[in-house]
Structure formats: C-alpha cells, structure tokens
Amino acid sequence: MTDPGVTTDPSAPRPSHLGICVSDLDAALRFWCDGMGFTAAERYDLDSDTVPGLDRSLEAGGHVTVVSQFVRHGATAIELLHYRDPEPHGTPSGSRAQLGYTHLAFQVDDLDAAVTRVVAAGGTLLEATRASLGVELVFLADPDGNRVELLQMG
C-alpha cells in the first residue's frame, strides 16, 4: 500500500533537513539535544578559503567561516549553522503572521513535563501562547528566539 503523503515521482524533491542559524552553538546543542531529545550527529567546520564556492552557496557576501552541526531525531534532521565570520545577525519571527519560517511543531505525551525539560535546557516558555484547541499546545523559544510548538493530542 502506498503512503498517500509520499510521492513516487522520482523527480520530486524529498525532505532532507532544516537549517537554523544560531549565535551560540553550545546553547543550541543543549536546547536541541537535552531539551528536545535530538542527538548530535555529523559536524563540518567550513571555511570559504578552503571550500570553493562556500561564500556564494551560503549567500553570506564575502569570506565565510561556519560550523555546520547536524542534530537528528529519527528521520528529522536539523542543521545548526554557527557563523564565526560573518557574525550572525537578524531577528527570528515573533509572529506566526509574519512571512517565512514561523515555528517547528513537535508532539509530546505530557505537555507540562516537556515544557519543564525544554526550559531547563535553555528554552523560554511563551506562556501567553498556551491554548486548548482540541489539542493542548504552547510555544517556546530556543536560545535565539526561534519558535517551537509543543502539542499534546487530546
């Protein structure tokens, strides 16, 4: 039986990973591994002086020195990008009505226990986002302010 959510078209792109720029790699690893249950996986220390085209492919506008640290949880992979040069800049979306990436969502069995775990690992609870909409949910922010939704099914 074919999974209706999976295309069999060999020319269709398939999910690989999500990249998140982080200002502090240690804090991000603590959040994603200790808080969210991911495991640190492959790591690449990259420099545009030794990797031709890196500055162009990362659209950084000049010399680039970056650590690419993958974290994995089952089939889900996140690439944490920690730029040493140039310095990370910008602000993550603070509104789900803002264009672009707004959040990642994860199901949990015990919402309160999951919130406690994630906050202990450096997350910030956004208490005003707690809601009961047929599922219990709440948003948290990672150390850089990226939104993560935790939801407990009814």
Side-chain angles (χ1 to χ4, degrees):
M1 179 174 204
T2 304
D3 182 343
V6 177
T7 182
T8 57
D9 180 349
S11 68
R14 295 174 307 282
S16 171
H17 65 278
L18 171 79
I20 301 175
C21 181
V22 301
S23 64
D24 181 329
L25 185 57
D26 291 334
L29 283 168
R30 183 170 175 242
F31 176 85
W32 287 104
C33 295
D34 298 345
M36 296 297 295
F38 281 70
T39 300
E42 58 272 37
R43 174 186 168 132
Y44 306 98
D45 292 85
L46 306 169
D47 188 302
S48 59
D49 289 342
T50 57
V51 180
L54 181 67
D55 55 336
R56 191 176 57 259
S57 69
L58 295 179
E59 303 174 300
H63 181 262
V64 175
T65 304
V66 64
V67 174
S68 165
Q69 173 67 62
F70 280 81
V71 293
R72 297 183 180 276
H73 189 299
T76 303
I78 296 175
E79 180 184 20
L80 304 174
L81 293 161
H82 176 60
Y83 286 83
R84 293 187 174 127
D85 183 29
E87 291 272 331
H89 61 278
T91 305
S93 171
S95 166
R96 262 53 73 215
Q98 183 175 335
L99 289 177
Y101 161 80
T102 64
H103 68 284
L104 289 172
F106 296 88
Q107 290 186 22
V108 298
D109 293 328
D110 182 334
L111 185 62
D112 292 326
V115 166
T116 298
R117 174 184 172 142
V118 174
V119 168
T124 301
L125 173 63
L126 305 172
E127 185 64 49
T129 66
R130 189 177 287 264
S132 182
L133 309 169
V135 299
E136 300 295 317
L137 65 88
V138 69
F139 285 85
L140 295 99
D142 78 359
D144 286 308
N146 295 296
R147 301 306 200 248
V148 172
E149 177 185 10
L150 298 181
L151 56 113
Q152 180 180 326
M153 306 310 277

Short mmCIF file of all heavy atoms in Angstrom, two decimals, residues 91-129:
data_model
loop_
_atom_site.label_atom_id
_atom_site.label_comp_id
_atom_site.label_asym_id
_atom_site.label_seq_id
_atom_site.Cartn_x
_atom_site.Cartn_y
_atom_site.Cartn_z
N THR A 91 16.69 38.90 13.38
CA THR A 91 15.77 38.54 14.45
C THR A 91 14.78 37.50 13.93
O THR A 91 14.17 37.72 12.87
CB THR A 91 14.98 39.78 14.92
OG1 THR A 91 15.91 40.79 15.28
CG2 THR A 91 14.12 39.44 16.13
N PRO A 92 14.61 36.38 14.65
CA PRO A 92 13.61 35.40 14.22
C PRO A 92 12.20 35.98 14.29
O PRO A 92 11.94 36.94 15.02
CB PRO A 92 13.76 34.26 15.24
CG PRO A 92 15.06 34.48 15.89
CD PRO A 92 15.34 35.95 15.83
N SER A 93 11.29 35.36 13.55
CA SER A 93 9.90 35.78 13.55
C SER A 93 9.31 35.69 14.95
O SER A 93 9.46 34.69 15.64
CB SER A 93 9.09 34.89 12.61
OG SER A 93 7.72 35.15 12.74
N GLY A 94 8.64 36.75 15.38
CA GLY A 94 7.95 36.76 16.65
C GLY A 94 6.45 36.66 16.48
O GLY A 94 5.70 36.77 17.43
N SER A 95 6.02 36.42 15.25
CA SER A 95 4.59 36.35 14.95
C SER A 95 4.35 35.27 13.92
O SER A 95 5.07 35.19 12.92
CB SER A 95 4.10 37.69 14.40
OG SER A 95 2.82 37.56 13.82
N ARG A 96 3.35 34.47 14.13
CA ARG A 96 3.03 33.45 13.14
C ARG A 96 2.37 34.07 11.91
O ARG A 96 2.15 33.39 10.92
CB ARG A 96 2.11 32.38 13.76
CG ARG A 96 2.80 31.10 14.24
CD ARG A 96 3.95 31.21 15.17
NE ARG A 96 3.53 31.60 16.51
CZ ARG A 96 4.26 32.38 17.30
NH1 ARG A 96 5.41 32.85 16.92
NH2 ARG A 96 3.84 32.72 18.48
N ALA A 97 2.09 35.37 11.93
CA ALA A 97 1.54 36.05 10.76
C ALA A 97 2.62 36.73 9.92
O ALA A 97 2.32 37.41 8.96
CB ALA A 97 0.50 37.09 11.20
N GLN A 98 3.88 36.54 10.28
CA GLN A 98 5.00 37.11 9.52
C GLN A 98 5.41 36.11 8.46
O GLN A 98 5.51 34.90 8.74
CB GLN A 98 6.16 37.40 10.47
CG GLN A 98 7.34 38.05 9.80
CD GLN A 98 8.42 38.43 10.81
OE1 GLN A 98 8.13 38.62 11.98
NE2 GLN A 98 9.64 38.52 10.35
N LEU A 99 5.68 36.56 7.25
CA LEU A 99 6.10 35.67 6.17
C LEU A 99 7.35 34.90 6.54
O LEU A 99 8.21 35.40 7.26
CB LEU A 99 6.36 36.47 4.89
CG LEU A 99 5.14 37.04 4.19
CD1 LEU A 99 5.57 37.87 2.99
CD2 LEU A 99 4.17 35.94 3.77
N GLY A 100 7.45 33.70 6.04
CA GLY A 100 8.64 32.88 6.26
C GLY A 100 8.46 31.89 7.40
O GLY A 100 7.36 31.66 7.89
N TYR A 101 9.58 31.30 7.80
CA TYR A 101 9.59 30.32 8.88
C TYR A 101 8.95 30.93 10.12
O TYR A 101 9.32 32.01 10.55
CB TYR A 101 11.04 29.89 9.17
CG TYR A 101 11.26 29.25 10.51
CD1 TYR A 101 10.94 27.90 10.71
CD2 TYR A 101 11.78 29.97 11.57
CE1 TYR A 101 11.14 27.31 11.94
CE2 TYR A 101 11.98 29.38 12.80
CZ TYR A 101 11.66 28.05 12.98
OH TYR A 101 11.85 27.46 14.21
N THR A 102 7.99 30.23 10.72
CA THR A 102 7.36 30.74 11.94
C THR A 102 7.59 29.81 13.12
O THR A 102 7.69 30.28 14.25
CB THR A 102 5.84 30.97 11.78
OG1 THR A 102 5.19 29.72 11.53
CG2 THR A 102 5.57 31.96 10.66
N HIS A 103 7.65 28.50 12.90
CA HIS A 103 7.87 27.59 14.01
C HIS A 103 8.05 26.15 13.52
O HIS A 103 7.70 25.83 12.39
CB HIS A 103 6.71 27.64 15.01
CG HIS A 103 5.42 27.08 14.50
ND1 HIS A 103 4.61 27.75 13.61
CD2 HIS A 103 4.80 25.90 14.74
CE1 HIS A 103 3.55 27.01 13.33
NE2 HIS A 103 3.64 25.88 13.99
N LEU A 104 8.57 25.32 14.41
CA LEU A 104 8.59 23.87 14.23
C LEU A 104 7.66 23.30 15.28
O LEU A 104 7.63 23.80 16.41
CB LEU A 104 9.99 23.30 14.47
CG LEU A 104 11.04 23.61 13.43
CD1 LEU A 104 12.42 23.15 13.91
CD2 LEU A 104 10.70 22.89 12.14
N ALA A 105 6.91 22.27 14.95
CA ALA A 105 5.97 21.69 15.90
C ALA A 105 6.35 20.25 16.23
O ALA A 105 6.76 19.50 15.34
CB ALA A 105 4.55 21.74 15.33
N PHE A 106 6.18 19.90 17.50
CA PHE A 106 6.51 18.56 17.99
C PHE A 106 5.39 18.06 18.88
O PHE A 106 4.91 18.80 19.75
CB PHE A 106 7.82 18.58 18.80
CG PHE A 106 9.01 18.98 17.99
CD1 PHE A 106 9.36 20.30 17.84
CD2 PHE A 106 9.80 18.01 17.37
CE1 PHE A 106 10.46 20.69 17.08
CE2 PHE A 106 10.90 18.38 16.61
CZ PHE A 106 11.23 19.72 16.47
N GLN A 107 4.99 16.80 18.70
CA GLN A 107 4.01 16.18 19.58
C GLN A 107 4.69 15.65 20.82
O GLN A 107 5.82 15.15 20.75
CB GLN A 107 3.30 15.03 18.87
CG GLN A 107 2.38 15.48 17.77
CD GLN A 107 1.59 14.31 17.18
OE1 GLN A 107 1.41 13.28 17.81
NE2 GLN A 107 1.13 14.49 15.96
N VAL A 108 4.01 15.76 21.96
CA VAL A 108 4.51 15.24 23.23
C VAL A 108 3.39 14.47 23.91
O VAL A 108 2.21 14.70 23.64
CB VAL A 108 5.04 16.37 24.15
CG1 VAL A 108 6.21 17.10 23.49
CG2 VAL A 108 3.93 17.36 24.50
N ASP A 109 3.77 13.58 24.82
CA ASP A 109 2.77 12.82 25.58
C ASP A 109 2.34 13.58 26.82
O ASP A 109 1.21 13.42 27.29
CB ASP A 109 3.33 11.45 25.98
CG ASP A 109 3.56 10.56 24.77
OD1 ASP A 109 2.80 10.67 23.79
OD2 ASP A 109 4.51 9.75 24.82
N ASP A 110 3.24 14.38 27.41
CA ASP A 110 2.96 15.13 28.63
C ASP A 110 3.48 16.56 28.43
O ASP A 110 4.68 16.81 28.54
CB ASP A 110 3.64 14.45 29.82
CG ASP A 110 3.37 15.13 31.14
OD1 ASP A 110 3.10 16.35 31.17
OD2 ASP A 110 3.45 14.43 32.18
N LEU A 111 2.58 17.47 28.13
CA LEU A 111 2.96 18.83 27.77
C LEU A 111 3.74 19.51 28.90
O LEU A 111 4.79 20.10 28.66
CB LEU A 111 1.71 19.65 27.40
CG LEU A 111 1.98 21.07 26.89
CD1 LEU A 111 2.80 21.04 25.60
CD2 LEU A 111 0.65 21.79 26.66
N ASP A 112 3.25 19.43 30.12
CA ASP A 112 3.91 20.12 31.22
C ASP A 112 5.32 19.57 31.47
O ASP A 112 6.25 20.34 31.71
CB ASP A 112 3.06 20.06 32.48
CG ASP A 112 1.79 20.88 32.36
OD1 ASP A 112 1.83 21.94 31.68
OD2 ASP A 112 0.75 20.47 32.91
N ALA A 113 5.47 18.25 31.41
CA ALA A 113 6.79 17.66 31.61
C ALA A 113 7.74 18.07 30.48
O ALA A 113 8.92 18.37 30.73
CB ALA A 113 6.69 16.14 31.68
N ALA A 114 7.24 18.11 29.25
CA ALA A 114 8.08 18.52 28.12
C ALA A 114 8.50 19.98 28.26
O ALA A 114 9.66 20.33 28.01
CB ALA A 114 7.34 18.30 26.81
N VAL A 115 7.57 20.85 28.67
CA VAL A 115 7.89 22.27 28.86
C VAL A 115 8.98 22.40 29.93
O VAL A 115 9.96 23.14 29.74
CB VAL A 115 6.63 23.08 29.24
CG1 VAL A 115 7.01 24.45 29.77
CG2 VAL A 115 5.70 23.19 28.04
N THR A 116 8.84 21.70 31.03
CA THR A 116 9.84 21.76 32.10
C THR A 116 11.21 21.34 31.58
O THR A 116 12.22 21.99 31.86
CB THR A 116 9.41 20.86 33.27
OG1 THR A 116 8.17 21.36 33.80
CG2 THR A 116 10.46 20.83 34.37
N ARG A 117 11.26 20.27 30.81
CA ARG A 117 12.52 19.77 30.26
C ARG A 117 13.16 20.79 29.32
O ARG A 117 14.36 21.05 29.38
CB ARG A 117 12.24 18.46 29.52
CG ARG A 117 13.42 17.90 28.78
CD ARG A 117 13.04 16.66 27.99
NE ARG A 117 14.13 16.25 27.13
CZ ARG A 117 14.46 15.01 26.89
NH1 ARG A 117 13.78 14.03 27.45
NH2 ARG A 117 15.47 14.73 26.09
N VAL A 118 12.36 21.36 28.41
CA VAL A 118 12.89 22.29 27.42
C VAL A 118 13.36 23.59 28.09
O VAL A 118 14.41 24.13 27.75
CB VAL A 118 11.86 22.55 26.30
CG1 VAL A 118 12.34 23.62 25.34
CG2 VAL A 118 11.58 21.25 25.54
N VAL A 119 12.61 24.09 29.05
CA VAL A 119 13.01 25.30 29.77
C VAL A 119 14.31 25.06 30.54
O VAL A 119 15.21 25.90 30.54
CB VAL A 119 11.87 25.80 30.70
CG1 VAL A 119 12.37 26.87 31.65
CG2 VAL A 119 10.70 26.33 29.86
N ALA A 120 14.46 23.88 31.15
CA ALA A 120 15.70 23.55 31.88
C ALA A 120 16.90 23.50 30.95
O ALA A 120 18.04 23.70 31.38
CB ALA A 120 15.53 22.22 32.60
N ALA A 121 16.66 23.27 29.65
CA ALA A 121 17.74 23.19 28.67
C ALA A 121 17.95 24.51 27.92
O ALA A 121 18.62 24.54 26.89
CB ALA A 121 17.46 22.07 27.68
N GLY A 122 17.37 25.60 28.42
CA GLY A 122 17.62 26.92 27.83
C GLY A 122 16.50 27.49 27.01
O GLY A 122 16.64 28.58 26.45
N GLY A 123 15.36 26.80 26.91
CA GLY A 123 14.22 27.34 26.19
C GLY A 123 13.48 28.37 27.02
O GLY A 123 13.62 28.42 28.25
N THR A 124 12.69 29.20 26.37
CA THR A 124 11.88 30.21 27.05
C THR A 124 10.41 29.92 26.78
O THR A 124 9.99 29.86 25.62
CB THR A 124 12.22 31.63 26.53
OG1 THR A 124 13.60 31.88 26.76
CG2 THR A 124 11.38 32.68 27.23
N LEU A 125 9.66 29.71 27.84
CA LEU A 125 8.23 29.45 27.73
C LEU A 125 7.52 30.75 27.35
O LEU A 125 7.73 31.79 27.97
CB LEU A 125 7.68 28.93 29.05
CG LEU A 125 6.16 28.76 29.15
CD1 LEU A 125 5.66 27.72 28.15
CD2 LEU A 125 5.78 28.38 30.58
N LEU A 126 6.67 30.69 26.34
CA LEU A 126 5.84 31.83 25.94
C LEU A 126 4.43 31.54 26.44
O LEU A 126 3.56 31.09 25.69
CB LEU A 126 5.90 32.02 24.42
CG LEU A 126 7.32 32.16 23.86
CD1 LEU A 126 7.31 32.15 22.35
CD2 LEU A 126 7.98 33.41 24.39
N GLU A 127 4.23 31.73 27.73
CA GLU A 127 3.01 31.31 28.43
C GLU A 127 1.74 31.84 27.78
O GLU A 127 0.73 31.14 27.74
CB GLU A 127 3.08 31.76 29.90
CG GLU A 127 1.91 31.26 30.74
CD GLU A 127 1.83 29.74 30.89
OE1 GLU A 127 2.84 29.11 31.21
OE2 GLU A 127 0.72 29.19 30.68
N ALA A 128 1.78 33.05 27.24
CA ALA A 128 0.57 33.64 26.62
C ALA A 128 0.11 32.84 25.40
O ALA A 128 -1.04 32.99 24.97
CB ALA A 128 0.84 35.09 26.22
N THR A 129 0.95 31.95 24.86
CA THR A 129 0.57 31.17 23.68
C THR A 129 -0.12 29.86 24.05
O THR A 129 -0.60 29.16 23.17
CB THR A 129 1.80 30.85 22.81
OG1 THR A 129 2.68 29.98 23.54
CG2 THR A 129 2.54 32.11 22.39
#
